[in-house]
Amino acid sequence: MTQQPSTPAQNSPVTVVGLGPMGLALAAALMDKGHPTTVWNRTPEKARDLVARGARLAPSVADAVAASPLTLVCLKDYAALYEALGPVGGPSAGRALVNLNSGTPKEAHAAASWAAERGVAYLDGAIMVPPPLVGDPGSVFLYSGPREVFDAHRDTLASLGDSRYLGADPGLAVLHNAALLGLMYATMNGFLHATALVGSAGVPAAEFADLAVNRFLPTVVDATLVEQAPNLDAGHYPGDLGTMEMNLNALEHIARTCEERGVYAGQPRLMRDIAARAIADGHGGSNYLAVFEVFRKAAER
């Protein structure tokens, strides 16, 4: 769909549908940046503070999406999107819809088709920060779908944070969302497990956090991943400085230490099993990054 040229960000009205904690943060950030903001929520009482600040509470979702050239939807999932906007068919011609709930790439493709059938300009999106950081220039927001839709509303979306356009495939935003959240949970679990392990000897979490987060991770993990990322694309895993066999030995020691200290050992056992799988696949002499081949080739099995 052909989009109208974007208007100056401070003058462009925006609608926000869904006023959970994130929806409230979106609307507040837009208002802070000078956007006339219309809001709608199934429970109107949630809009009370926004209305007191000057937001307009729409009497219906149809009225809400008709009020602005851009509607941001921040609901639980794709089913909630269809439930809320299905009866009104989405925004009318010349207006755009940006969906900011989480889900799967397959669901994002279905939503893009749903929008296209109704003549709606559609972007799928993902918010990669908690509500208090919405509006910060460094907060990352991901978008995927037609480039012309993103470009038409780039200035408005920039009011929320650092807008990253990922490509025309509408599933890319939720795919990155799942990948980054998976990284977050794995990192959090790694820290929490490590803290529990040293905590078995009475080491305070605050003391260990300084060593682990401020010293160890930036030097040993972060720098290594950035430096070695091109080797993942090339499938190049030289074991000059340490092989998978050596790493399996270390993982075995971690698991045994957890068992000895009475700390949950399921997590290191899983990591040990993954390394063993990589060795079984012929990567015993490679470095630990060859585990990447186990992950990306799982579907082939």
Side-chain angles (χ1 to χ4, degrees):
M1 170 180 286
T2 301
Q3 293 296 301
Q4 296 297 319
S6 58
T7 54
Q10 68 271 22
N11 297 327
S12 182
V14 187
T15 288
V16 177
V17 171
L19 297 178
M22 187 61 77
L24 289 170
L26 294 171
L30 290 165
M31 294 174 68
D32 288 342
K33 298 295 173 61
H35 295 275
T37 303
T38 298
V39 297
W40 180 86
N41 192 70
R42 193 177 301 277
T43 307
E45 290 76 16
K46 288 190 175 181
R48 181 177 61 250
D49 291 343
L50 292 173
V51 171
R53 291 185 50 195
R56 172 180 175 267
L57 176 61
S60 69
V61 68
D63 181 87
V65 298
S68 309
L70 178 66
T71 294
L72 306 180
V73 178
C74 189
L75 297 170
K76 177 184 177 183
D77 50 28
Y78 289 90
L81 165 72
Y82 302 140
E83 182 180 355
L85 296 188
V88 300
S92 58
R95 286 173 166 78
L97 172 68
V98 177
N99 186 31
L100 293 171
N101 62 248
S102 62
T104 71
K106 184 179 291 187
E107 289 177 315
H109 278 272
S113 297
W114 171 87
E117 291 169 359
R118 290 157 176 78
V120 175
Y122 179 87
L123 287 177
D124 215 87
I127 305 169
M128 305 313 303
V129 293
L133 294 182
V134 171
D136 187 290
S139 296
V140 176
F141 284 69
L142 307 177
Y143 302 98
S144 57
R147 179 78 198 216
E148 63 271 19
V149 180
F150 176 77
D151 287 343
H153 300 282
R154 178 197 298 267
D155 291 344
T156 298
L157 295 174
S159 295
L160 302 174
D162 181 4
S163 301
R164 302 288 184 95
Y165 176 73
L166 301 176
D169 180 346
L172 283 173
V174 292
L175 179 63
H176 279 69
N177 180 64
L180 290 170
L181 289 181
L183 173 63
M184 180 193 75
Y185 286 119
T187 303
M188 293 281 284
N189 282 351
F191 170 76
L192 295 172
H193 184 271
T195 304
L197 187 57
V198 297
S200 69
V203 177
E207 176 184 319
F208 180 67
D210 177 63
L211 172 63
V213 179
N214 295 331
R215 307 288 180 171
F216 179 73
L217 286 177
T219 303
V220 178
V221 179
D222 295 357
T224 298
L225 293 180
V226 173
E227 178 184 339
Q228 296 297 321
N231 285 336
L232 300 182
D233 293 324
H236 181 57
Y237 315 107
D240 308 61
L241 301 180
T243 66
M244 189 68 69
E245 294 278 5
M246 294 171 59
N247 281 282
L248 179 62
N249 188 51
L251 289 164
E252 177 64 33
H253 293 161
I254 296 169
R256 285 168 49 197
T257 299
C258 291
E259 292 161 359
E260 181 181 296
R261 302 296 299 185
V263 174
Y264 178 73
Q267 183 164 285
R269 286 190 199 122
L270 173 61
M271 293 188 292
R272 179 190 62 191
D273 292 346
I274 293 170
R277 175 76 261 179
I279 292 171
D281 287 350
H283 297 291
S286 302
N287 67 42
Y288 188 75
L289 294 184
V291 161
F292 182 60
E293 299 296 332
V294 176
F295 294 148
R296 73 173 177 177
K297 292 183 178 179
E300 297 177 8
R301 299 193 179 95

